[in-house]
Amino acid sequence: MTSGRFVRLAAVATAVVSSTFLMLAPAGCDESQSVACTDNCPAVEGAYPLTFLGDAGLSAECVNLNVQPLADGEVLNIQRTGGNALTASLAGVALTGQVYATGDLTLIGTPLPSGDGGVSATYTLTATHTGGAEDGGLGQSNLTGNFSGQFSRVQGTSAQRCNVARPFTATRQ
């Protein structure tokens, strides 16, 4: 009688292990989007004034944290540090990231905590670069993407959090 329980237990264990491996595998992964470039990277370097689209305002949580939204015209300055590695700055925040052969790029940075209660933040920009001449990117270059900011403040045993997500476009100056 115990052999029936063993078979069912083994079947459940196999299902759990199999589903765990399936969750770890990339679902619908398009490897062409994450192909690192070396010498053939798009020329994304430059200064890009951002134009934010569809401002819905700040949530009550962000207002409570005294989060200041980035303004239209805030300049994203991008430099290449070698291969596909990038450094950038936005509103005084240092960012690092990568550009891919597809023209996709990702930049992430953490501003210093604010002096008014220790609000911590993380900025993430994802964008797609289009345009630019093949001869070093001297033509018109555009970025289309999303800015997201995650803000938080820990007070005692509780934390306040908010997220800001804003799509943008930018043309290199």
Side-chain angles (χ1 to χ4, degrees), residues 2-134:
T2 60
S3 64
R5 286 189 220 157
F6 177 74
V7 171
R8 279 184 250 152
L9 180 61
V12 169
T14 301
V16 169
V17 170
S18 297
S19 65
T20 301
F21 282 117
L22 287 174
M23 289 189 323
L24 294 174
C29 180
D30 180 4
E31 291 183 15
S32 67
Q33 293 217 340
S34 62
V35 174
C37 51
T38 53
D39 297 334
N40 61 342
C41 294
V44 298
E45 301 87 349
Y48 294 86
L50 302 182
T51 301
F52 292 102
L53 310 171
D55 185 14
L58 293 174
S59 66
E61 292 85 4
C62 286
V63 170
N64 287 340
L65 288 173
N66 198 27
V67 170
Q68 299 301 313
L70 294 176
D72 274 344
E74 194 71 55
V75 177
L76 172 64
N77 288 296
I78 302 174
Q79 302 81 36
R80 185 182 317 271
T81 58
N84 72 332
L86 302 174
T87 59
S89 63
L90 177 65
V93 177
L95 308 165
T96 59
Q98 297 179 335
V99 62
Y100 300 94
T102 59
D104 294 332
L105 62 96
T106 302
L107 297 165
I108 299 173
T110 304
L112 296 174
S114 68
D116 63 345
V119 173
S120 298
T122 299
Y123 289 179
T124 304
L125 283 95
T126 56
T128 300
H129 173 266
T130 56
E134 295 299 317

